[in-house]
Structures are given as C-alpha cells and as structure tokens.
Amino acid sequence: MPTSEQIFDTLVLPYLNHAVRMYEADYASVADIDAGMRFGCGYPKGPLTVIDELGAAAVRDKLAARFAETNDHLHEPAGLLDRLAIEGGTFADLGAAAGATTPELKHDIEKVGVVGTGTMASGIVQVFAQSGYDVVVIGRSEDKLAGVTAYIGKNLDRAIAKGKSTEDDKAAVLGRVTGATARDALADVDIVVEAIAEDLDIKLELFRDLDGICKQGAILATTTSSLPITQLGACTDRPADVIGMHFFNPAPVMKLVEVVTTPATSADVDETVKALCAKVGKVAVSCGDRAGFIVNCLLFPYLNDAVKLAESGEDLATIDAAIKETAGLPMGPFELLDVVGNDVSLAIQKELYGEFKEEGFAPAKTLEEKVAAGELGRKTGKGFHDYAK
Ligand code: 3HC
C-alpha cells in the first residue's frame, strides 16, 4: 500500500511539472498560474510557489526518478526546472520581474445580463446582485428562473444562519434580480455573461442572437471552459466586444475568473472585464483562447491521474485523505470530481486530450464508466462516493 508521500509524488509532481511547462510555453505568467490554482480551486499555494518551497532540484530529481519508471513524457522534468536547479533562482524571482498593473473600467457597467439557469449561471447572478448590480437573467421557463432565485435564497439563508447576512440584505439582493424568458430583455444591459450548455452550436446561435439584441458597446462574455471563443466572436459583428469569463464552481465562493481574450478582443474590453471582476470581489487572471485555459488544464489531468491510481487498486478515501494531508488541498480528487460532476470532468478531459494529444491525458476508463452508468457525482446522489441519505 503506497504511503501518503508516494500518493503525493504520483499525483502532485506531474501537476507541478505541467505548471512549469505552461509557464515555459509563455501561456500564462507566474502570478496568474499561481493565482489560478489558489483562487480557482482553493489551494493554499500555487504550484510554482510549491516548487520554490520544495526546491527546483528536489522536484526535478523526484520527477526524473518517476520518468525513469514510467517513461511518460509528462513526467520528464521541464527544462526550466533543470535550469533553476543548476543556475539557482526561483519562480518568485521570475514573477517579480514581470510587474503588475491595476485595471480600470473603460466602459460603464450598470446593468448585467446572465443567460442560463444552471448552477454556474445561478452563482454568477448571485455574485453580481450581491455586489449591487441590477441583473436580468434569461431562462427557458418560469420554473427554471424560479430555480435561480431559490438557489440564491438558499445560499443567503445559510449566510443568515451563520450571522453573515440579514433578511434585509437577502431581500435587497433578490430585488435586484429580474427574470425573463425572452432574450429581448437584454437590449439595454452593459454586459451579458452566458452560462448555457457547453455546446458550440447552441452557443453560436445565442451569440448571433445577442449580437442583434444587445445595444452597441455591450460586452458579450462566455463562461465556456473549452469551446473556441474566437469562433463565438466571429459569428457576431462585434468580435472586439466578445471575451471569456470563466468562473469556478461554486461561483459565489471561488474567487477566480479566467479572463480569456481572442486575437480580436479589444484591450479596453479586456481591461473593463478585469476591473469588473475586481469590483465584484473576484481575482482575474489572463489567458489565451485555448482549451482548458490555466486551471482546468492543470487540474483535470491530476484528477484523471487520481482515477487511474484508483484503478490500480488504491482506495478512494485513502487517496482523498493523503492529498488533503500532504498537499493541504481543500478536497481530495474524488470529492472534487463529485462536486464538478463526472460528465463535466470527462468532457473537459476529452477536450484536453484532443488539444494536447498527450497519451497521459487519455480519459481514465473508470471515469467513462461512471458517466455511462449515470453516476455523475453529488447531483445524482452517487459518483465516486455515495451521497444517498
Ligand atoms: N454555494 C454558495 N456558497 C457555498 C457553497 C455553494 N455551493 N458551498 C459552500 N459555500 C460557502 C459556505 O456557505 C461558506 O461560506 P462562509 O465562509 O461565508 O460561511 C464557505 O463556502 C465555506 O463552506 P463550508 O465551510 O461549508 O465548506 P468548506 O470549508 O469545505 O468549503 C469549498 C467548501 C469552498 C467548496 C471548498 O471545499 C473548496 O474550495 N473546494 C475546491 C473547489 C474547487 O476546486 N472548485 C473548482 C472546480 S473546477 C471548475 O469549477 C471549472 C469548471 O470549468 C468545471
């Protein structure tokens, strides 16, 4: 039976290596990679800080030992690890050299539209309404719209029970939310955030429609985690106003938003969206239009590796406990898979496999089987763990 340390080495070292490769490829900055994992997944530290603490040489050597065992390219130490190990220097030094700026609102944002009534959409409506914005939410039926207010109401009731909110606050937040079943209600919003089905044709139809409905200058944002935002922009007459805003689950709690620009997105829209994130208490990181962005690209291969480790006979609860203990993560991999949903996780892993063509990213067989069996996680009462009362 592997020790907690062996479980850490098997699951966490490849994730650290992957983060270094992401930085080496110039996809994201040191600060954004670390902020991504801290604020998107509640990790106590970002992966590059973890490497600084463990020492680049120690991480390189452990990876090299693992690579000798597996011959998996994903375990081959990244070149930069070797350079830091030999020449000295840290990721903190590399990050400090990049500097930072404070974004400003270049467009007035007073009224926000949200399209969708699922978990992410409901959480996003709550985020904006709680920050004082009037929000128009578009759903396919009155029942679905009622689900959004019920979700927010439940969250606020929990906060009231903990003495962190009041009935008056709850009434004020819910009072700022207006539901509609017709998209025309979005004609006068300053920004639309869509969180509907993760399907390109469905989103293309929506973006074409929003282009016709929304006033000139309105920003059109998508929460997609895997579809090409460039294509969503290109189907409108305003690709400069189209941008990605990838929130994390649960949206009212996780502080991260990945702000994804396409080659056509204007610098003003990018800056405005980042400033808006700060206004609603979120931390924005920048990344380009590529499947997985920063966080999913680092997170899901690690979750998939955990499933593969379980397939080799390791107990789920032992893996969950080892990761929480050794890496200090808020949830073990199977607890998190059950929160995200195995269907969502499988779809993301397939996208990553398609994008990067790494054999090690091939979805784990058990993940496929869980989805085929309808064991999707908390939302179906059973996933890797059982939630039936
Ligand atoms: N909605 C709203 N608020 C919630 C919530 C929910 N679903 N779940 C928990 N909360 C609130 C609680 O009310 C509490 O608020 P308070 O501090 O103001 O009282 C706070 O969150 C902490 O909750 P708890 O004390 O009940 O529980 P935990 O301490 O276990 O924290 C957690 C819960 C914040 C979810 C924590 O476990 C965590 O950070 N987990 C990691 C989640 C993660 O990795 N998400 C990213 C998934 S990937 C993704 O979303 C990308 C997409 O493309 C799939």
Side-chain angles (χ1 to χ4, degrees), residues 138-296:
I138 307 294
R140 283 178 291 172
S141 67
E142 292 298 339
D143 273 3
K144 288 187 185 287
L145 289 167
V148 175
T149 36
Y151 171 95
I152 298 172
K154 208 169 127 197
N155 280 340
L156 295 177
D157 283 342
R158 206 162 43 187
I160 293 169
K162 288 184 183 170
K164 294 184 173 181
S165 187
T166 62
E167 289 292 346
D168 284 354
D169 280 345
K170 177 180 162 187
V173 170
L174 290 173
R176 286 193 277 271
V177 179
T178 315
T181 50
R183 291 176 184 163
D184 298 351
L186 297 171
D188 64 344
V189 301
D190 301 300
I191 182 170
V192 178
V193 181
E194 75 75 19
I196 60 169
E198 193 73 346
D199 177 298
L200 187 58
D201 287 336
I202 293 175
K203 291 206 198 274
L204 284 170
E205 185 275 327
L206 173 67
F207 272 74
R208 281 188 204 107
D209 211 20
L210 292 177
D211 193 24
I213 291 168
C214 297
K215 66 184 182 190
Q216 277 310 306
I219 296 173
L220 307 184
T222 172
T223 60
T224 184
S225 64
S226 55
L227 299 172
I229 300 169
T230 308
Q231 236 174 297
L232 298 179
C235 82
T236 71
D237 283 334
R238 53 174 107 189
D241 296 334
V242 173
I243 194 161
M245 284 181 87
H246 183 218
F247 288 78
F248 288 77
N249 190 356
V253 188
M254 306 317 291
K255 287 182 89 74
L256 188 71
V257 180
E258 289 174 318
V259 176
V260 188
T261 49
T262 76
T265 309
S266 82
D268 278 2
V269 166
D270 182 26
E271 187 169 346
T272 299
V273 166
K274 286 187 184 132
L276 179 63
C277 288
K279 281 197 79 166
V280 299
K282 299 292 180 195
V283 174
V285 295
S286 297
C287 45
D289 189 15
R290 184 180 86 176
F293 311 133
I294 298 173
V295 174
N296 285 1

